[in-house]
Amino acid sequence: MATKPILTLEDAKRVAAAADTEAQANAWKVVIAVVDDGGHLLYLQRSHDTQFGSVETAIAKAHAAVAFQRPTKASEDAVLSGRLIHLALPGVIPAEGGVPLMRDGLIVGGLGISGVRSFQDGQIAQAGANAL
């Protein structure tokens, strides 16, 4: 039987803290969602004054990054280049800000950010992923 690394709650908090540091450095109000390798919510953080519509979007971005095993920016880029089939795929979020979390070449979870412009969400997400 194979073994694999798992994303712990402590790991999720560390990733979220790094993402939060990036968001605060830019005065961006965001929602930070961390999911496990099955796409299930492990940790959620929302600034008190962040729009509540970003909660589900951040979770969906994190889930999509795990489900499709790539950053959500890949779907955003595909749609922007005319590959509209991505819009028909279940669970696709064609907006930057969702990234898979990797350990030893395996996906252990996903990070989703929502609240500011797409490329800014992506910048925050990358800062969080780098903490892992």
Side-chain angles (χ1 to χ4, degrees), residues 63-126:
H63 185 273
V66 172
F68 294 98
Q69 301 182 356
R70 62 183 51 92
T72 56
K73 183 174 183 356
S75 289
E76 179 182 43
D77 290 346
V79 169
L80 291 174
S81 71
R83 298 207 53 222
L84 301 182
I85 189 65
H86 282 255
L87 297 174
L89 299 172
V92 165
I93 302 295
E96 190 172 354
V99 294
L101 297 173
M102 308 288 292
R103 173 61 59 96
D104 300 330
L106 300 171
I107 294 175
V108 295
L111 173 61
I113 308 295
S114 180
V116 287
R117 297 182 64 193
S118 182
F119 74 91
Q120 295 165 330
D121 287 344
Q123 178 180 327
I124 298 165
Q126 191 58 58

Side-chain angles (χ1 to χ4, degrees), residues 39-57:
H40 304 284
L41 186 62
L42 186 59
Y43 184 82
L44 181 83
Q45 178 177 316
R46 175 181 167 247
S47 303
H48 72 279
D49 51 355
T50 304
Q51 60 207 20
F52 71 83
S54 288
V55 171
E56 293 301 323
T57 303

